[in-house]
Amino acid sequence: LRARKNNNMDLLTWNDDLSTGVTEIDTHHRELFNLMHWFLKACEQGKGEEQIRRVFEFLDNYIVYHFNAEEEYMVKYDYPDYASHKKIHQDFVKDFAKLKKEFNNAFKGPSTIKLLQVQVETSELLGQWWINHISKTDRELGIFLKSRIK
């Protein structure tokens, strides 16, 4: 993963090292990286609350769509690590739901600190989780799928 400096913030940059070699999955991953760029820039510009809401709305649908697509490939091609990969997806969905709840609760009281904490947690979950998941777990899936897809 390469990072580039922009206004003192490291922004995630897609590179070919993250590619799984499966066009549909890589397209989804690029979209997720674009989302992170957008979110981090919004936080830097002080638009975090509004953008976190948009990120959550987008991801509510997109992660289900993306995870389902990956899991369909795994089932179709009889991926041996399907159960553990699916569990990782399920854990992310739970973590994301918890983060959404924290975000909504941050506005029940007058605390800017809570919002900043949720921004940081959102950045960590979306950034680090996706980087680790894509560069390791999904790359292994991609290697397997490339050997099966003709």
Side-chain angles (χ1 to χ4, degrees):
L1 175 72
R2 289 182 232 145
R4 75 182 147 90
K5 210 68 158 167
N6 186 346
N7 297 328
N8 297 321
M9 183 179 285
D10 289 333
L11 298 178
L12 305 176
T13 306
W14 176 267
N15 66 67
D16 290 338
D17 294 339
L18 295 169
S19 176
T20 64
V22 179
T23 304
E24 181 181 12
I25 292 172
D26 289 340
T27 300
H28 292 182
H29 290 164
R30 281 187 195 94
E31 184 68 24
L32 291 162
F33 272 70
N34 288 338
L35 175 74
M36 279 307 300
H37 277 282
W38 178 62
F39 171 73
L40 292 173
K41 281 187 177 199
C43 288
E44 181 181 68
Q45 296 167 356
K47 300 177 185 174
E49 176 185 343
E50 174 188 333
Q51 300 307 337
I52 290 174
R53 285 189 194 285
R54 288 185 182 174
V55 166
F56 286 158
E57 288 171 12
F58 176 83
L59 283 177
D60 265 341
N61 297 312
Y62 202 78
I63 58 175
V64 171
Y65 168 72
H66 171 65
F67 289 163
N68 283 342
E70 278 189 4
E71 291 166 14
E72 284 176 15
Y73 276 106
M74 288 186 258
V75 169
K76 181 177 180 178
Y77 293 99
D78 199 24
Y79 185 54
D81 290 328
Y82 169 74
S84 63
H85 198 130
K86 183 174 176 130
K87 171 87 167 78
I88 292 168
H89 288 170
Q90 291 169 332
D91 290 345
F92 177 85
V93 170
K94 287 177 190 172
D95 290 344
F96 182 69
K98 188 169 109 177
L99 187 58
K100 282 191 313 185
K101 185 176 180 180
E102 286 178 29
F103 173 71
N104 289 327
N105 288 338
F107 297 100
K108 292 183 178 173
S111 176
T112 305
I113 292 173
K114 285 182 182 178
L115 175 59
L116 293 174
Q117 178 184 352
V118 173
Q119 286 176 341
V120 168
E121 289 174 7
T122 302
S123 295
E124 289 174 357
L125 178 66
L126 298 181
Q128 291 305 312
W129 191 90
W130 285 112
I131 291 166
N132 291 329
H133 183 71
I134 291 169
S135 67
K136 295 176 186 157
T137 310
D138 284 351
R139 289 219 44 202
E140 290 171 10
L141 172 61
I143 290 167
F144 174 83
L145 291 174
K146 285 190 299 187
S147 72
R148 301 291 193 275
I149 297 174
K150 308 248 187 268

